[in-house]
Structure formats: C-alpha cells, structure tokens
Amino acid sequence: MCGIVGSVGLKDPKEYVTKGLKMLDYRGYDSAGIAYFNDEIKIFKDVGSVEHLMSIVPSNINTNIMIGHTRWATHGAPTKLNTHPHISYNKHICLVHNGVIDNYKELKKFLIEQNYSFYGETDSEVVANLIEYYYLLNRDIKETIKTVKLLIKGSYAITFFIDSDVDTLYILKKASPLVVGKGKGFNLVASDASPMINYTNEFIELEDGEFGYLNKNEIVIFNKDGEPIKKETIHKDIELISHDLKGYPHYMLKEIEEIPQTVNRLINTYFQDDQYQFDEELIKDLKESDHILFIGCGTSYHAGLVGGRYFEKYDKSTSRFIASEWAFHPTYPGNKPFIIMISQSGETADLIHCLRIIKEHNLKNLVITNTGGSTLDRNCDYSLLLHSGVEVSVASTKAYAAQVALLAMLSASLANDKSVINDLRQAINVINDIQDSYKPKIMKVANELMSKKNIFYLGRSFDYFLSLEASLKLKEISYIHSEAIPGGELKHGPIALVEQDLPVIVFITDPDTAPSMRGNIEEVKSRGAKVYVVSTKSLSAPEDTIVVKDYAYYLSSVAISSIAFYLAYYVSLAKGLNVDKPRNLAKSVTVE
Ligand code: G6P
C-alpha cells in the first residue's frame, strides 16, 4: 500500500526508481509517479501502472536525485493531481509519503490561513507545504523536520528533497516502513529492501520517530529528539522477489499449486530428527502463559481462529481478535497472557498498532509471518517464518495454509504430540489429489456461480472457519457478495435470505457436526437453494459435489482450502477480472 523509492548519487536513477516501483507493486497501487531535479523540480505522474508511467517519463534523464511513489488512494480519489510526488505551493519541496496524516484537515486550514493553496486533496500534499512553510521561516531543515514531526499525527514514511539542496534526500518515519540502502558513491531509500538488492546488501532500518538525510557519501540519522545516532547496518542477501510466473497464467494459481511444497517445507524446517525445532524459550513462555491471544487481519485472522482451537486442544485458554478491533479495546484475560500475531506481510498497520500496545503492556509476543526482515519480524519477541516463498497475488492462499499448518505444529509441540506431522503429510496427499483430479469439477461449479449476486458458505466448527476464508477469497477476487454462516446460526436470521437458486456451498468434514450440517442442507434446499457440498469420503452422501479422501478433519484449512481458492480463482477468471490485483485491495495494508 503505497511504495517509496528514492536515490541520490546514482548514475542511472531512472532504472532504479522505475524498476524499484515495479518491485513494490505487490503493495497495491492505483497511480504512480517520479520526480527529479534538473534546473527545476520535474514531476511525471499519472493514474495507472508503472509501465504506463515509464511510457511518459523521458528516456534520458540527467539528475543526481530522484524519488518515486506508487499510490493507493486513501485521502482523495486516484487522480493525476493526487498522485505523488507532490510539490509544495512555492515549488521548493518535492515529497512522497506512505501512511495517513490523521490531522491533515486542521493543518491544511492553518496553511490556507497562511495563503497556501493546494493542487490536490491529499494529506501528503499538506505535509509538503507544512515543511515548506517552516523551512521558509527558519531556513533550517533539521529544525523544520523536528517541528513538522511534532505537528503531524498519524503514520508516515516520508522522503523529500529541497530545490536549494538537490544533493540530499530527507527521510522521516513513524509506523510506516522505510529502509535505507548503503551504496558506494550513492545512497538509496525504499519502503522495503527489495528494490535495492541489485545495488547493495547493506541496509539501515529506520525506527519510529527517527529521521535523517542521505547524500551520495553519507547517511545521517537522528533519534526522535534530534540527536545523531549510530545505526546498525544490517547485511542481508534478500531473495529476489520472483516475478517469474513459471508458466502459470496468474500468481494466484501458481501460489495455490505451491501449497503442498510449502507445507512440506514447513515440516522439514520445524520438525527434524523426529523432534520439533522451535525455540526452547518460546515453548517455555507459551507453556507458562495462562492465556494465548491470537491477533490478525483478513486471511491471517482466519488462520488465528483455527490456531486458537489447536491450542485449546492442548489445554490452553485462548481468544482471537481482529487487530483493528483489539487495538482500540486491548483486553486480555489472565496474568500471563501470550500474544500470537499472524501476518503474511509482517507490515500490516493494524497489527503494528497492536504491537505498540503489547509492548507498552510488556506482554510476551510472537509473530508468524512470511516476511523475514519485516517490521513485525524485527520487533516481536519471537518470530516464526512461514518459508512459503514470496506471495505476489493480493489474495493470500499458500500463506494461509502455511499459517494453519505452522500453528498446528507449534501447538502440538507443547505436548510433544507428533501425530500432527503424519496428519499434515496426509493433508498434503489430499491437496495433491485436488490439484491432479478435481479442477475440472471446481471449474464447472465456478461457471455456474459466475453470474450470481449472492452466495452462502455454510460450515460448523473447523468447517465454519474454512467457510469464512472461502467467502473472503470469493468476494476479494470475484466481487460477488458472499457470507459465511455457522450452520447453527442459519435459523437465527440468515435463512430469511434463502430464495430460489441461491447457491449455498457447504463443507462437511467434521464427524461431530456432519449430521447437523445435513439438517441445514435440508433447510436451505426446501427453500429453493442450490446446494454444493464438499465432503470427506466417510461423511459423504451420493449427491455431494466434491468428495475428497479422509484426513484428520482439524486440518481442513490445510487439506481442502485449495478447493475454495480454486473456486474463487475460476469464478474471477470466468468473469474476466484481474485475478492477482483485485480492485481496491492491497497486498500489504500499511495504513490503519
Ligand atoms: C490485506 C490483504 C489480505 C490479507 C490482509 C492481512 O487486506 O488484501 O489478503 O489477508 O491484508 O495481511 P497480512 O499481511 O497481515 O497477513
């Protein structure tokens, strides 16, 4: 969600900035732009893709400094005027910003009183003008940044330059990521390290409140009070984000098909020589805790719902929260709670907000993430990586299966219960079967669903958790309204919506709840619904749509989530939609 790239001193900054923006496109964006200095500040920007931006940027650019940005609209529509970089009213400051300035309206009012006017509607343009206003008053950029930092409320990663000193990039950060790359004769900045990896493997990660500047020879960072600090240089050889589709038409399909190898890799990483390989301190802290709280957003929250049940099986009391809810009502029972945060990207702003609260309360915490080096990976007490490989498609698939599989192993390790490993291996076989033999059936259902306006998913217990994820996936990429309903709740309201031909997709994999689910099917069928049942062999009925072989039912979110993912994928495909980049969504949501 918004990407920043900047360079100073680089010979071919256009190559770095435009390719860098492309590498950040996983964050989601609707418009893109670059700015540089050559006699004057020059800005090229437009709504649309980085490829489109490249077509409007001049081929030969002679400049020492360049910033670039991909914008995901929050304040102000995705228009050319709202696209970054922004130039201040008197054209002295050129700035890109990722985050949200909560109090921009009052700051804008103040600036209008000082005779400022604005080209667009963004909160970011307000910051560019605020910097200019104070800089013109005191001509001291460090003091200006300190003042502006005190005035702006919200989240920001900001990079800017001044027309009077075009050899220097200024940076400031709070709650949105910003990383500096150390070069030889040049220095770089970006939202994460990926755009910089062809130029350096030495990085400096800015912490909240810190600010500084870089020119071609030095990087100077100040703490929040403005005192210079020596920052640790991190040496990282980061895996290049693979934009290789390996013959697949879409990343989502490729990533669904990587689920078996992902789960297998997790087993090989966290279970070796017949032993779980988790950090002993982590296991001790988990065992000693009297309550485990799971926090996540979207798909990762759904993984937490399943994970909570796993820990309860090993006598732990648990609760599960959506991060943006918990952040504003941070309760936890017990005296020794342990927090498990789940995040594919490790950068989700709502979770980072929670982490601040968790740290204020001195609560032990773990993040389960796919992204080593991310904000959550760096700042949580413990971090367990999913090792799923980069997930490019906005709709999360392999990371979800991996999160659930890892939570199954972690919970089982508390009791040294090794049966989970065999159960996971059995689940991998089921996923492989689905991949090999079930896609035509799923495609057929997708073709029937593509013209529908509403779809219900029904399940109980683990099947309900899977229904939630299946429904989210479908709405994310097919734009069809769908609801996941616990079978038992049907009669308490949702049944009023059941009418002729309403598609109802039912998961039946849990022996305890299967008979009740069959009852639910009769309830919706008798009201005209068109029912599609996904079941396991021992619980199946002859008319079921998809029957897979039996597996340990608590692993449904691993074993058969791919059915739900394929279904969403094929519906989106049949509707001719942008499967990997659905409208309005971003892979990494770095604003609250
Ligand atoms: C965004 C994505 C979702 C994802 C959620 C949480 O909304 O579009 O697919 O589940 O963020 O992301 P995280 O990286 O924290 O798992």
Side-chain angles (χ1 to χ4, degrees), residues 297-300 342-348 351 376 394-396 403 472-473 476 585-589:
C297 307
T299 291
S300 296
I342 307 169
S343 174
Q344 188 285 130
S345 63
E347 296 292 356
T348 302
L351 280 162
L376 290 171
V394 165
S396 183
Q403 288 163 345
L472 175 66
K473 210 62 26 184
E476 278 181 318
L585 297 178
K587 182 78 186 152
S588 178
V589 180

Side-chain angles (χ1 to χ4, degrees), residues 341-517:
M341 312 185 83
I342 307 169
S343 174
Q344 188 285 130
S345 63
E347 296 292 356
T348 302
D350 292 323
L351 280 162
I352 293 169
H353 183 167
C354 293
L355 183 61
R356 282 199 294 277
I357 297 166
I358 289 165
K359 294 212 167 222
E360 276 161 27
H361 292 234
N362 271 325
L363 305 176
K364 289 262 171 54
N365 57 80
L366 156 74
V367 66
I368 291 182
T369 179
N370 197 29
T371 316
S374 60
T375 303
L376 290 171
D377 174 55
R378 294 197 319 271
N379 292 297
C380 286
D381 293 343
Y382 301 101
S383 175
L384 291 177
L385 294 179
L386 295 170
H387 299 293
S388 302
V390 177
E391 198 180 58
V392 177
S393 181
V394 165
S396 183
T397 53
K398 62 178 176 177
Y400 170 75
Q403 288 163 345
V404 174
L406 182 49
L407 285 162
M409 282 193 275
L410 183 63
S411 59
S413 76
L414 297 189
N416 202 23
D417 174 0
K418 297 175 188 170
S419 64
V420 166
I421 301 299
N422 278 339
D423 291 348
L424 279 170
R425 291 199 171 115
Q426 194 186 33
I428 292 174
N429 288 336
V430 175
I431 310 168
N432 282 328
D433 279 359
I434 294 167
Q435 209 160 299
D436 294 344
S437 322
Y438 288 73
K439 284 190 278 186
K441 270 190 189 168
I442 301 171
M443 239 182 272
K444 190 168 168 282
V445 177
N447 286 330
E448 290 176 28
L449 298 186
M450 65 175 278
S451 54
K452 301 293 178 186
K453 294 262 176 295
N454 296 297
I455 294 176
F456 274 16
Y457 281 89
L458 283 187
R460 292 182 187 229
S461 185
F462 287 114
D463 289 333
Y464 169 57
F465 300 147
L466 175 60
S467 298
L468 283 168
E469 178 52 17
S471 167
L472 175 66
K473 210 62 26 184
L474 186 77
K475 58 175 87 116
E476 278 181 318
I477 62 167
S478 78
Y479 315 148
I480 295 175
H481 171 254
S482 73
E483 289 207 38
I485 299 155
E489 277 295 292
L490 190 62
K491 57 189 170 299
H492 296 297
I495 202 161
L497 296 172
V498 177
E499 56 188 12
Q500 196 61 35
D501 293 333
L502 173 82
V504 178
I505 299 164
V506 188
F507 293 109
I508 303 186
T509 72
D510 174 351
D512 292 336
T513 63
S516 314
M517 286 311 303

